[in-house]
Amino acid sequence: MEDNTILVTKSSLPNLEEYIEEIRDIWTSHWLTNMGEKHRTLQSMLQNYLQVDNVDLLTNGHMALELSIQALNLQGEIITTPFTFASTTHAIVRNGLTPVFCDINPDDFTIDVDKIEALITDKTSAILPVHVYGNVCDVDKIQDIASKYGLKVIYDAAHAFGVKYKNKGIGTFGDVSCFSFHATKVFNTIEGGAVCFGDRNKDFGLNIYRLKNFGIRGPEIVDSVGANAKMNEFCAAMGICNLKRINICFKRRKQLVDEYRKCLSNIDGMNLNKIQGDVEQNYAYFPIVIDEKQFGATRNEVLAKLAEHNIFARKYFYPLTNTFDAFHGQFNVDKTPVALHISKRVLTLPLYEELCISDVYRISDIVLSCKK
Ligand SMILES: *Cc1c(COP(=O)(O)O)cnc(C)c1O
Protein backbone atom coordinates (compact mmCIF):
# COMPACT_ATOMS: atom_id res chain seq x y z
CA MET A 1 0.00 0.00 0.00
CA GLU A 2 1.27 3.42 -0.85
CA ASP A 3 1.86 5.70 2.10
CA ASN A 4 1.96 9.35 1.14
CA THR A 5 2.73 10.66 4.62
CA ILE A 6 5.39 13.36 4.60
CA LEU A 7 7.27 13.98 7.83
CA VAL A 8 9.40 17.04 8.52
CA THR A 9 12.49 14.98 7.78
CA LYS A 10 13.60 11.56 6.63
CA SER A 11 17.05 10.20 7.45
CA SER A 12 19.59 9.93 4.65
CA LEU A 13 20.93 6.41 4.20
CA PRO A 14 23.78 5.07 2.10
CA ASN A 15 23.34 2.17 -0.27
CA LEU A 16 22.80 -0.96 1.88
CA GLU A 17 25.51 -3.01 0.14
CA GLU A 18 27.99 -0.20 0.71
CA TYR A 19 27.26 -0.16 4.44
CA ILE A 20 27.57 -3.95 4.65
CA GLU A 21 30.92 -3.73 2.89
CA GLU A 22 32.04 -1.03 5.35
CA ILE A 23 31.18 -3.06 8.45
CA ARG A 24 32.50 -6.39 7.07
CA ASP A 25 35.95 -6.12 8.69
CA ILE A 26 34.36 -5.60 12.12
CA TRP A 27 33.65 -9.35 11.95
CA THR A 28 37.37 -9.96 11.58
CA SER A 29 38.55 -7.52 14.26
CA HIS A 30 35.71 -8.07 16.76
CA TRP A 31 36.36 -4.44 17.76
CA LEU A 32 32.93 -2.91 18.28
CA THR A 33 33.59 0.31 20.16
CA ASN A 34 36.25 2.18 22.20
CA MET A 35 38.00 4.21 19.51
CA GLY A 36 38.52 1.52 16.88
CA GLU A 37 39.50 1.74 13.26
CA LYS A 38 36.17 3.14 11.97
CA HIS A 39 36.28 5.79 14.67
CA ARG A 40 39.78 6.84 13.63
CA THR A 41 38.89 6.83 9.94
CA LEU A 42 35.76 8.93 10.35
CA GLN A 43 37.59 11.32 12.65
CA SER A 44 40.27 12.07 10.09
CA MET A 45 37.74 12.27 7.23
CA LEU A 46 35.76 14.84 9.22
CA GLN A 47 38.84 16.82 10.19
CA ASN A 48 39.55 17.14 6.51
CA TYR A 49 35.97 17.78 5.42
CA LEU A 50 35.19 20.34 8.14
CA GLN A 51 38.61 22.02 7.71
CA VAL A 52 39.33 22.03 11.44
CA ASP A 53 42.49 21.29 13.47
CA ASN A 54 40.94 18.62 15.67
CA VAL A 55 37.78 16.50 15.86
CA ASP A 56 36.69 14.10 18.56
CA LEU A 57 33.67 11.85 18.08
CA LEU A 58 30.96 11.28 20.67
CA THR A 59 27.75 9.31 21.10
CA ASN A 60 25.59 12.31 20.32
CA GLY A 61 25.51 16.09 19.99
CA HIS A 62 24.14 16.53 23.47
CA MET A 63 27.12 14.85 25.12
CA ALA A 64 29.38 16.99 22.95
CA LEU A 65 27.84 20.09 24.55
CA GLU A 66 27.59 18.69 28.06
CA LEU A 67 31.16 17.37 28.17
CA SER A 68 32.57 20.50 26.49
CA ILE A 69 31.28 22.60 29.36
CA GLN A 70 32.85 20.18 31.84
CA ALA A 71 36.12 19.90 29.90
CA LEU A 72 36.54 23.70 29.92
CA ASN A 73 35.95 23.73 33.70
CA LEU A 74 33.28 26.40 33.33
CA GLN A 75 31.54 27.80 36.40
CA GLY A 76 28.70 30.18 37.24
CA GLU A 77 26.68 31.57 34.34
CA ILE A 78 26.64 30.91 30.60
CA ILE A 79 24.98 33.31 28.17
CA THR A 80 22.87 31.48 25.58
CA THR A 81 19.58 31.72 23.67
CA PRO A 82 16.22 30.03 24.36
CA PHE A 83 15.36 29.60 20.65
CA THR A 84 16.92 26.16 20.36
CA PHE A 85 16.47 22.48 21.07
CA ALA A 86 16.22 21.38 24.72
CA SER A 87 19.77 20.02 24.58
CA THR A 88 21.53 23.42 24.53
CA THR A 89 19.97 24.62 27.79
CA HIS A 90 20.03 21.18 29.43
CA ALA A 91 23.78 20.87 28.81
CA ILE A 92 24.32 24.00 30.92
CA VAL A 93 21.89 23.07 33.70
CA ARG A 94 23.11 19.45 33.93
CA ASN A 95 26.60 20.84 34.65
CA GLY A 96 25.16 22.76 37.61
CA LEU A 97 25.54 26.11 35.85
CA THR A 98 22.98 28.82 35.25
CA PRO A 99 21.82 29.70 31.73
CA VAL A 100 21.37 33.45 31.18
CA PHE A 101 19.08 33.96 28.22
CA CYS A 102 19.94 36.52 25.58
CA ASP A 103 17.41 37.46 22.90
CA ILE A 104 17.80 36.55 19.22
CA ASN A 105 17.89 38.85 16.22
CA PRO A 106 14.81 38.82 13.98
CA ASP A 107 16.69 38.27 10.69
CA ASP A 108 18.35 34.91 11.26
CA PHE A 109 17.29 33.96 14.82
CA THR A 110 20.88 33.72 16.11
CA ILE A 111 22.00 35.46 19.31
CA ASP A 112 21.54 39.26 19.23
CA VAL A 113 25.15 40.35 19.74
CA ASP A 114 24.08 43.87 20.78
CA LYS A 115 22.37 42.42 23.85
CA ILE A 116 25.16 40.19 25.15
CA GLU A 117 27.29 42.70 27.06
CA ALA A 118 24.43 43.89 29.26
CA LEU A 119 24.03 40.29 30.52
CA ILE A 120 27.67 39.79 31.56
CA THR A 121 28.24 39.61 35.32
CA ASP A 122 31.24 38.60 37.43
CA LYS A 123 29.84 35.05 37.34
CA THR A 124 29.77 34.76 33.54
CA SER A 125 32.23 32.18 32.24
CA ALA A 126 31.15 31.57 28.65
CA ILE A 127 28.86 32.33 25.73
CA LEU A 128 27.01 29.40 24.11
CA PRO A 129 25.40 30.63 20.87
CA VAL A 130 23.51 28.43 18.40
CA HIS A 131 23.97 28.46 14.61
CA VAL A 132 20.24 27.87 14.40
CA TYR A 133 18.93 26.30 11.12
CA GLY A 134 22.54 26.51 9.91
CA ASN A 135 22.44 30.33 10.02
CA VAL A 136 25.83 31.64 11.07
CA CYS A 137 26.05 33.66 14.31
CA ASP A 138 27.96 36.95 14.24
CA VAL A 139 31.15 35.05 15.06
CA ASP A 140 33.44 38.11 14.76
CA LYS A 141 31.47 40.24 17.22
CA ILE A 142 31.04 37.31 19.61
CA GLN A 143 34.82 36.73 19.63
CA ASP A 144 35.42 40.46 20.29
CA ILE A 145 33.13 40.36 23.32
CA ALA A 146 34.59 37.08 24.58
CA SER A 147 38.15 38.40 24.30
CA LYS A 148 37.26 41.68 25.99
CA TYR A 149 35.75 39.91 29.03
CA GLY A 150 37.87 36.73 29.06
CA LEU A 151 34.98 34.39 28.26
CA LYS A 152 35.02 31.02 26.50
CA VAL A 153 32.84 30.47 23.43
CA ILE A 154 31.15 27.12 22.73
CA TYR A 155 29.07 27.00 19.55
CA ASP A 156 26.09 24.72 19.28
CA ALA A 157 26.72 23.82 15.64
CA ALA A 158 24.21 20.95 15.62
CA HIS A 159 22.44 22.52 12.61
CA ALA A 160 25.54 23.78 10.85
CA PHE A 161 27.33 20.73 9.48
CA GLY A 162 29.26 21.65 6.34
CA VAL A 163 28.52 25.38 6.58
CA LYS A 164 31.34 27.75 5.73
CA TYR A 165 31.78 31.39 6.67
CA LYS A 166 34.22 33.50 4.65
CA ASN A 167 35.53 30.21 3.20
CA LYS A 168 36.37 28.83 6.64
CA GLY A 169 34.77 25.76 8.18
CA ILE A 170 32.14 26.78 10.74
CA GLY A 171 33.84 24.54 13.32
CA THR A 172 36.91 26.79 13.39
CA PHE A 173 35.17 29.58 15.33
CA GLY A 174 35.10 29.94 19.10
CA ASP A 175 36.95 27.65 21.50
CA VAL A 176 34.79 24.64 20.66
CA SER A 177 32.04 23.81 18.18
CA CYS A 178 29.64 20.94 18.87
CA PHE A 179 28.00 19.04 16.02
CA SER A 180 25.12 16.56 16.10
CA PHE A 181 25.03 13.56 13.78
CA HIS A 182 21.58 12.45 14.88
CA ALA A 183 19.44 10.57 12.35
CA THR A 184 17.42 13.74 11.66
CA LYS A 185 20.39 15.98 10.85
CA VAL A 186 21.86 16.69 7.38
CA PHE A 187 24.75 14.33 8.11
CA ASN A 188 24.05 11.35 10.35
CA THR A 189 25.88 8.51 12.06
CA ILE A 190 22.51 7.12 13.33
CA GLU A 191 23.22 8.75 16.71
CA GLY A 192 26.42 10.70 17.04
CA GLY A 193 28.17 13.97 17.58
CA ALA A 194 31.54 15.65 17.56
CA VAL A 195 33.54 18.47 19.06
CA CYS A 196 35.90 20.57 16.92
CA PHE A 197 38.65 22.68 18.43
CA GLY A 198 41.83 24.46 17.45
CA ASP A 199 45.38 23.39 18.22
CA ARG A 200 45.58 26.12 20.87
CA ASN A 201 42.96 24.15 22.83
CA LYS A 202 44.88 20.85 23.02
CA ASP A 203 44.22 20.62 26.78
CA PHE A 204 40.51 20.73 26.11
CA GLY A 205 41.03 17.87 23.64
CA LEU A 206 42.76 15.69 26.24
CA ASN A 207 40.05 16.46 28.79
CA ILE A 208 37.17 15.57 26.52
CA TYR A 209 38.87 12.41 25.30
CA ARG A 210 39.04 11.20 28.91
CA LEU A 211 35.62 12.49 29.90
CA LYS A 212 33.91 10.51 27.14
CA ASN A 213 35.48 7.37 28.65
CA PHE A 214 34.59 7.74 32.37
CA GLY A 215 37.54 10.05 33.09
CA ILE A 216 40.02 7.19 32.71
CA ARG A 217 43.53 8.55 32.22
CA GLY A 218 45.44 5.27 32.32
CA PRO A 219 44.92 1.63 33.32
CA GLU A 220 45.10 2.53 37.02
CA ILE A 221 44.29 6.24 37.02
CA VAL A 222 40.81 7.76 36.92
CA ASP A 223 41.21 11.45 37.65
CA SER A 224 37.96 13.05 36.51
CA VAL A 225 34.27 12.15 36.81
CA GLY A 226 33.50 11.38 33.21
CA ALA A 227 30.57 9.85 31.38
CA ASN A 228 30.35 7.21 28.69
CA ALA A 229 30.05 9.02 25.39
CA LYS A 230 32.16 7.04 22.93
CA MET A 231 30.98 6.62 19.34
CA ASN A 232 30.75 2.92 18.45
CA GLU A 233 32.13 1.36 15.26
CA PHE A 234 28.76 0.77 13.58
CA CYS A 235 27.84 4.44 13.93
CA ALA A 236 31.27 5.51 12.70
CA ALA A 237 30.86 3.18 9.69
CA MET A 238 27.51 4.80 8.89
CA GLY A 239 29.25 8.18 9.07
CA ILE A 240 31.99 7.04 6.68
CA CYS A 241 29.35 5.96 4.13
CA ASN A 242 27.17 9.06 4.54
CA LEU A 243 30.12 11.45 4.35
CA LYS A 244 31.13 10.01 0.97
CA ARG A 245 27.79 11.13 -0.46
CA ILE A 246 27.30 14.37 1.47
CA ASN A 247 27.76 16.59 -1.58
CA ILE A 248 24.92 14.82 -3.42
CA CYS A 249 22.79 15.41 -0.35
CA PHE A 250 23.58 19.16 -0.19
CA LYS A 251 23.00 19.57 -3.91
CA ARG A 252 19.56 17.98 -3.64
CA ARG A 253 18.63 20.05 -0.60
CA LYS A 254 19.65 23.22 -2.43
CA GLN A 255 17.31 22.37 -5.33
CA LEU A 256 14.43 21.85 -2.91
CA VAL A 257 15.13 25.04 -0.96
CA ASP A 258 15.42 27.05 -4.19
CA GLU A 259 11.96 25.81 -5.21
CA TYR A 260 10.46 26.56 -1.79
CA ARG A 261 11.91 30.07 -2.04
CA LYS A 262 10.42 30.58 -5.51
CA CYS A 263 6.99 29.52 -4.26
CA LEU A 264 6.97 31.30 -0.90
CA SER A 265 8.95 34.55 -1.35
CA ASN A 266 7.23 37.93 -1.26
CA ILE A 267 4.04 36.69 0.38
CA ASP A 268 2.31 39.21 2.66
CA GLY A 269 2.53 38.06 6.27
CA MET A 270 5.13 35.38 5.62
CA ASN A 271 8.83 35.82 6.24
CA LEU A 272 11.71 33.58 5.21
CA ASN A 273 15.22 33.67 6.66
CA LYS A 274 17.41 36.16 4.79
CA ILE A 275 20.23 34.58 2.78
CA GLN A 276 23.42 35.48 4.66
CA GLY A 277 26.42 37.04 2.94
CA ASP A 278 29.81 35.23 2.93
CA VAL A 279 28.07 31.99 3.91
CA GLU A 280 28.12 28.63 2.15
CA GLN A 281 24.83 27.14 3.34
CA ASN A 282 23.87 23.54 4.15
CA TYR A 283 20.12 23.87 3.49
CA ALA A 284 19.37 22.00 6.70
CA TYR A 285 15.91 23.45 7.43
CA PHE A 286 13.24 25.58 5.79
CA PRO A 287 11.55 27.75 8.42
CA ILE A 288 8.71 30.14 7.57
CA VAL A 289 7.36 32.79 9.93
CA ILE A 290 3.65 33.51 9.66
CA ASP A 291 2.14 36.75 10.92
CA GLU A 292 -1.58 36.28 11.34
CA LYS A 293 -2.43 39.97 10.91
CA GLN A 294 -1.30 40.08 7.29
CA PHE A 295 -1.47 36.41 6.36
CA GLY A 296 -4.99 35.90 7.69
CA ALA A 297 -4.21 32.55 9.29
CA THR A 298 -2.11 31.51 12.26
CA ARG A 299 0.91 29.25 12.26
CA ASN A 300 -1.16 26.61 14.06
CA GLU A 301 -3.87 26.78 11.39
CA VAL A 302 -1.28 26.24 8.65
CA LEU A 303 0.19 23.31 10.62
CA ALA A 304 -3.28 21.77 10.99
CA LYS A 305 -4.12 22.27 7.30
CA LEU A 306 -0.91 20.49 6.28
CA ALA A 307 -1.69 17.67 8.74
CA GLU A 308 -5.08 17.17 7.01
CA HIS A 309 -3.01 16.20 3.97
CA ASN A 310 -0.74 13.90 6.02
CA ILE A 311 2.07 16.45 5.86
CA PHE A 312 3.74 17.00 9.21
CA ALA A 313 5.66 20.25 9.58
CA ARG A 314 7.16 21.07 12.99
CA LYS A 315 7.19 24.04 15.34
CA TYR A 316 10.97 24.34 15.59
CA PHE A 317 11.40 25.99 18.08
CA TYR A 318 8.33 26.16 20.26
CA PRO A 319 8.16 26.32 23.22
CA LEU A 320 11.28 28.31 24.09
CA THR A 321 13.60 26.49 26.47
CA ASN A 322 13.27 29.27 29.07
CA THR A 323 9.57 28.38 29.42
CA PHE A 324 10.05 24.62 29.96
CA ASP A 325 8.09 23.14 32.88
CA ALA A 326 11.36 21.56 34.03
CA PHE A 327 12.56 25.03 35.09
CA HIS A 328 9.52 25.82 37.28
CA GLY A 329 9.22 29.42 36.16
CA GLN A 330 12.85 30.28 37.03
CA PHE A 331 13.29 32.38 33.90
CA ASN A 332 11.41 35.42 32.69
CA VAL A 333 10.41 34.93 29.07
CA ASP A 334 9.66 38.66 28.73
CA LYS A 335 13.42 39.20 28.65
CA THR A 336 13.59 37.48 25.25
CA PRO A 337 10.66 39.11 23.39
CA VAL A 338 11.96 38.53 19.86
CA ALA A 339 12.50 34.83 20.55
CA LEU A 340 8.99 34.63 22.04
CA HIS A 341 7.48 36.41 19.02
CA ILE A 342 9.23 34.12 16.52
CA SER A 343 8.55 30.90 18.44
CA LYS A 344 4.81 31.62 18.29
CA ARG A 345 4.90 32.11 14.52
CA VAL A 346 7.57 29.81 13.11
CA LEU A 347 6.97 26.60 11.21
CA THR A 348 9.64 24.35 9.74
CA LEU A 349 8.52 22.74 6.49
CA PRO A 350 9.47 19.21 5.37
CA LEU A 351 12.95 19.06 3.83
CA TYR A 352 15.04 15.99 3.12
CA GLU A 353 16.96 14.45 0.29
CA GLU A 354 14.21 12.16 -0.97
CA LEU A 355 11.50 14.82 -0.97
CA CYS A 356 10.15 15.35 -4.51
CA ILE A 357 10.05 18.77 -6.17
CA SER A 358 6.36 18.08 -6.80
CA ASP A 359 5.90 17.69 -3.03
CA VAL A 360 7.52 21.10 -2.51
CA TYR A 361 4.91 22.57 -4.87
CA ARG A 362 2.09 20.69 -3.16
CA ILE A 363 3.23 21.75 0.33
CA SER A 364 3.66 25.37 -0.79
CA ASP A 365 0.17 25.35 -2.40
CA ILE A 366 -1.42 24.09 0.80
CA VAL A 367 0.43 26.73 2.86
CA LEU A 368 -0.70 29.47 0.46
CA SER A 369 -4.28 28.15 0.41
CA CYS A 370 -4.51 29.18 4.09
CA LYS A 371 -3.95 32.83 3.20
CA LYS A 372 -6.98 35.08 3.46
C1 LIG B 1 19.94 17.92 17.60
C2 LIG B 1 20.40 19.07 18.43
C3 LIG B 1 21.21 18.91 19.57
C4 LIG B 1 21.49 17.58 20.20
O1 LIG B 1 22.06 16.65 19.38
P1 LIG B 1 21.79 15.08 19.61
O2 LIG B 1 22.76 14.46 18.66
O3 LIG B 1 20.37 14.79 19.26
O4 LIG B 1 22.10 14.76 21.02
C5 LIG B 1 21.68 20.04 20.21
N1 LIG B 1 21.36 21.27 19.78
C6 LIG B 1 20.57 21.47 18.71
C7 LIG B 1 20.27 22.87 18.27
C8 LIG B 1 20.03 20.38 18.02
O5 LIG B 1 19.20 20.59 17.00
Side-chain angles (χ1 to χ4, degrees):
M1 203 179 82
E2 202 187 341
D3 178 9
N4 63 357
T5 298
I6 295 180
L7 302 180
V8 72
T9 190
K10 187 172 181 178
S11 301
S12 290
L13 280 170
N15 182 292
L16 178 59
E17 283 68 37
E18 199 187 320
Y19 183 67
I20 291 170
E21 211 36 60
E22 189 59 53
I23 61 173
R24 193 174 292 283
D25 43 5
I26 298 177
W27 266 258
T28 315
S29 68
H30 283 248
W31 194 287
L32 309 186
T33 185
N34 284 55
M35 289 68 88
E37 190 198 319
K38 305 294 172 196
H39 186 289
R40 284 193 297 276
T41 303
L42 179 61
Q43 194 160 297
S44 71
M45 283 171 77
L46 284 171
Q47 200 175 319
N48 190 36
Y49 179 76
L50 295 170
Q51 301 177 349
V52 291
D53 294 342
N54 303 281
V55 177
D56 201 356
L57 304 176
L58 297 131
T59 38
N60 54 58
H62 178 77
M63 289 311 288
L65 287 166
E66 196 172 311
L67 294 183
S68 289
I69 293 170
Q70 189 182 354
L72 288 169
N73 287 311
L74 299 179
Q75 307 291 330
E77 298 172 353
I78 296 186
I79 296 173
T80 187
T81 56
F83 189 75
T84 183
F85 185 54
S87 173
T88 321
T89 304
H90 285 5
I92 297 170
V93 176
R94 286 172 58 83
N95 270 287
L97 279 68
T98 306
V100 173
F101 293 102
C102 185
D103 211 352
I104 58 174
N105 77 66
D107 291 333
D108 58 26
F109 313 154
T110 62
I111 194 164
D112 185 338
V113 291
D114 295 327
K115 295 182 181 156
I116 296 175
E117 280 191 89
L119 298 172
I120 296 174
T121 71
D122 53 8
K123 294 194 190 120
T124 310
S125 59
I127 309 172
L128 203 172
V130 184
H131 297 302
V132 65
Y133 305 130
N135 292 337
V136 175
C137 298
D138 188 342
V139 291
D140 301 322
K141 187 78 191 286
I142 290 167
Q143 192 52 58
D144 285 349
I145 296 170
S147 302
K148 183 172 165 193
Y149 293 92
L151 306 176
K152 298 288 185 194
V153 179
I154 301 176
Y155 282 106
D156 183 336
H159 292 184
F161 186 84
V163 170
K164 286 188 192 153
Y165 175 61
K166 293 183 178 165
N167 280 322
K168 287 174 75 180
I170 198 67
T172 59
F173 298 97
D175 293 280
V176 185
S177 293
C178 299
F179 291 92
S180 165
F181 307 149
H182 183 255
T184 55
K185 304 299 206 277
V186 280
F187 166 73
N188 85 77
T189 61
I190 310 172
E191 291 263 9
V195 291
C196 296
F197 53 97
D199 282 337
R200 68 185 185 287
N201 286 319
K202 281 273 191 214
D203 285 351
F204 165 84
L206 278 175
N207 285 347
I208 204 142
Y209 187 80
R210 286 175 197 142
L211 287 173
K212 75 172 184 179
N213 190 25
F214 305 100
I216 297 173
R217 176 192 286 265
E220 298 184 5
I221 305 174
V222 179
D223 63 358
S224 53
V225 184
N228 179 1
K230 307 179 299 287
M231 180 181 285
N232 71 60
E233 292 290 280
F234 290 84
C235 289
M238 182 65 94
I240 291 169
C241 295
N242 276 335
L243 192 57
K244 286 180 184 162
R245 47 188 305 288
I246 191 78
N247 287 333
I248 302 171
C249 169
F250 284 148
K251 207 171 148 203
R252 176 63 183 166
R253 283 175 172 274
K254 179 180 180 340
Q255 284 177 335
L256 296 164
V257 166
D258 286 348
E259 293 308 313
Y260 265 134
R261 280 195 178 271
K262 277 185 210 158
C263 296
L264 299 175
S265 289
N266 303 317
I267 308 291
D268 263 353
M270 179 150 66
N271 284 311
L272 310 181
N273 273 174
K274 293 209 178 82
I275 295 173
Q276 296 182 303
D278 292 325
V279 171
E280 205 172 298
Q281 305 175 64
N282 68 357
Y283 309 96
Y285 299 90
F286 195 77
I288 60 175
V289 178
I290 293 166
D291 218 318
E292 186 192 359
K293 274 193 222 112
Q294 295 142 54
F295 194 75
T298 64
R299 178 267 307 270
N300 286 355
E301 284 163 358
V302 175
L303 181 75
K305 178 59 82 181
L306 286 165
E308 283 174 22
H309 293 83
N310 281 335
I311 297 166
F312 299 95
R314 290 291 291 272
K315 301 184 206 178
Y316 290 144
F317 286 101
Y318 176 89
L320 295 178
T321 68
N322 56 358
T323 68
F324 282 177
D325 293 342
F327 301 128
H328 310 288
Q330 274 177 67
F331 307 109
N332 182 356
V333 73
D334 296 335
K335 291 187 174 168
T336 53
V338 177
L340 185 62
H341 181 95
I342 299 296
S343 78
K344 287 177 174 170
R345 290 166 178 80
V346 72
L347 194 62
T348 302
L349 298 182
L351 179 60
Y352 49 86
E353 216 185 319
E354 286 186 14
L355 191 69
C356 298
I357 301 271
S358 60
D359 289 325
V360 169
Y361 296 150
R362 197 158 65 88
I363 293 165
S364 300
D365 283 347
I366 296 167
V367 170
L368 292 175
S369 75
C370 300
K371 188 166 168 55
K372 289 185 196 92

